[in-house]
Amino acid sequence: MLIKKPSDVKSSEITPEKVYRNRRAFMKETAALALGGSLLGGASPVLAQDGDALKARAPEALSLSAPAPWWESKFAEVTPAPDQEPYFTGETLTPYRDVTRYNNFYEFGMDKSDPSSRSGTFRTDPWSVEISGEVAKPGTYHLEDLLGPMQLEERVYRLRCVEAWSMVIPWIGFPLVDLIKRFEPTSKAKFVEFETLVDPETMPGVTSRFAIVDWPYREGLRIDEATHPLTFMAVGLYGSYLPAQNGAPMRLVVPWKYGFKSIKSIVRINFRETMPNTTWNDLQANEYGFYANVNPQVHHPRWRQDMERRLPQTLFSRQYIETRLFNGYADQVASLYSGMDLAVNY
Ligand SMILES: Nc1nc2c(c(=O)[nH]1)N[C@H]1C(S)=C(S)[C@@H](COP(=O)(O)O)O[C@H]1N2
Ligand SMILES: [Mo]
């Protein structure tokens, strides 16, 4: 491979993740200088200073976004991920290209390339979310009101799909618990249920005769899982807004569970006393459980779960790595399941 000197690199070859990496290095230096980070406010992460450049380089990925002006100010104040587990991992980041081109989002189609290639007309502004069920403050909230009080932060998490591939993604968002407590759940709120938008106009997958899902896509968590500090609501990745294909404008990220729990483009959050039905469990209960905790000892009936392909794979490296219990987050979450048989509650 040819190694170029920096001066030879054309700006068109500078990919978002290169910009991002430089920015992170810069953030670390300024953090050290600022002793506590008063300089960080304006310096974090890509969007604050390189936003326009980033959009110019990846216009197709960001076509839907740059929504209302208030987004800009939220993204100008992102707290960088602390450089320590579990909110950060030093593993190589999956390139922006793969994170935004290799997706599962059946509302846009079932091929990995469908969500990026068929989401061009999807719109996220205006966007509102219905909060219902066992809470003191139900209602339909505009996204701006939901995000307004939230301090955005960055988290670098592993994402492990049940299909045995994985990525490392730098998300931007906030802990779900910080949102949940604003609605004041009652003592009957034992589970949280989430639903994705169904828009036949802009989501070609929902009207496809090949669709297997009974829309809307639904997911759920136990309340202790939903309020765990690792459970994250993402509104961005790689320092910028979420592209449609990754679940704009707001999607769940539960890093110790298989990717299908991390429901995208959320329009409803319902608090309830009983365990909700969930999309993949409804489709094939013996293959996809409600818990869906990453577990190398509990295999899928049709394939093993003790190895995974870390994307991107190349011709020269197949990138097979061992899958870890709870996707490597066991120290943080194993206690949630003490006394439970994980082979039964898969
Ligand atoms: N609404 C909705 N959410 C979804 C899916 C989907 O098809 N529809 N796919 C899930 C699956 S199987 C995975 S692996 C992750 C993929 O997230 P990513 O495309 O951002 O990597 O999204 C999850 N969330
Ligand atoms: Mo998945």
Side-chain angles (χ1 to χ4, degrees):
M1 186 186 151
L2 206 114
I3 313 273
K4 292 180 182 173
K5 287 185 270 118
S7 58
D8 298 336
V9 180
K10 285 191 238 106
S11 65
S12 62
E13 293 172 31
I14 299 177
T15 57
E17 67 269 15
K18 280 183 196 146
V19 175
Y20 177 88
R21 254 185 246 126
N22 293 341
R23 175 61 55 209
R24 269 204 77 84
F26 171 75
M27 277 155 50
K28 269 191 219 166
E29 284 159 26
T30 38
L33 283 173
L35 295 173
S38 57
L39 277 178
L40 284 177
S44 61
V46 181
L47 194 79
Q49 292 170 19
D50 297 317
D52 291 341
L54 184 72
K55 279 174 217 160
R57 282 172 206 130
E60 68 283 18
L62 298 169
S63 60
L64 75 109
S65 293
W70 59 269
W71 278 92
E72 298 280 350
S73 51
K74 288 308 291 179
F75 273 80
E77 295 166 8
V78 178
T79 310
D83 281 1
Q84 63 186 56
E85 299 268 359
Y87 303 125
F88 173 83
T89 165
E91 290 156 271
T92 307
L93 297 177
T94 301
Y96 185 81
R97 213 199 136 69
D98 300 274
V99 172
T100 58
R101 298 292 187 287
Y102 188 94
N103 300 100
N104 277 333
F105 199 166
Y106 279 20
E107 286 82 340
F108 294 104
M110 290 168 65
D111 287 346
K112 294 286 182 284
S113 60
D114 285 341
S116 54
S117 65
R118 304 173 78 197
S119 59
T121 59
F122 185 71
R123 289 293 171 267
T124 58
D125 191 21
W127 190 275
S128 54
V129 182
E130 184 194 341
I131 308 295
S132 60
E134 294 294 341
V135 285
K137 295 182 170 165
T140 300
Y141 295 82
H142 186 264
L143 189 66
E144 182 173 3
D145 300 323
L146 289 181
L147 299 193
M150 312 309 304
Q151 171 60 46
L152 297 187
E153 60 183 88
E154 179 182 61
R155 297 222 177 154
V156 183
Y157 279 160
R158 294 175 285 275
L159 174 86
R160 171 49 160 93
C161 177
V162 74
E163 298 163 340
W165 52 264
S166 65
M167 301 192 189
V168 177
I169 304 177
W171 301 105
I172 286 174
F174 51 85
L176 178 62
V177 61
D178 290 352
L179 185 67
I180 285 181
K181 60 188 178 202
R182 285 168 50 200
F183 310 126
E184 301 174 14
T186 73
S187 59
K188 285 185 179 167
K190 304 269 169 47
F191 293 89
V192 190
E193 177 181 31
F194 304 86
E195 279 179 25
T196 295
L197 178 74
V198 184
D199 180 14
E201 301 280 311
T202 60
M203 295 172 143
V206 305
T207 49
S208 162
R209 60 195 173 93
F210 302 109
I212 55 172
V213 173
D214 178 19
W215 316 104
Y217 191 101
R218 287 190 190 84
E219 259 309 333
L221 295 170
R222 249 174 23 195
I223 191 81
D224 58 341
E225 298 176 322
T227 55
H228 189 279
L230 280 177
T231 304
F232 203 57
M233 195 66 103
V235 296
L237 57 81
Y238 266 113
S240 190
Y241 314 112
L242 276 185
Q245 58 266 35
N246 294 95
M250 187 169 89
R251 62 87 59 86
L252 195 63
V253 178
V254 193
W256 72 94
K257 293 179 179 285
Y258 291 122
F260 66 85
K261 299 295 288 184
S262 292
I263 182 172
K264 295 176 169 179
S265 304
I266 294 167
V267 291
R268 182 159 178 245
I269 304 177
N270 183 40
F271 294 77
R272 41 188 289 162
E273 196 164 13
T274 54
M275 187 181 275
N277 283 49
T278 56
T279 290
W280 283 97
N281 188 239
D282 284 354
L283 276 169
Q284 203 63 259
N286 66 321
E287 299 188 353
Y288 310 103
F290 173 83
Y291 286 96
N293 293 317
V294 175
N295 191 332
Q297 274 125 47
V298 178
H299 299 295
H300 187 281
R302 293 182 280 132
W303 59 84
R304 299 182 64 88
Q305 289 292 24
D306 49 359
M307 300 290 283
E308 66 199 52
R309 297 181 290 126
R310 174 60 55 84
L311 298 180
Q313 286 183 298
T314 67
L315 276 180
F316 308 103
S317 165
R318 284 151 45 92
Q319 300 260 66
Y320 277 99
I321 60 172
E322 284 180 16
T323 291
R324 296 158 70 190
L325 182 61
F326 297 112
N327 202 23
Y329 300 99
D331 286 352
Q332 289 76 38
V333 301
S335 62
L336 295 175
Y337 310 102
S338 57
M340 276 175 63
D341 183 341
L342 299 178
V344 176
N345 298 286
Y346 54 91

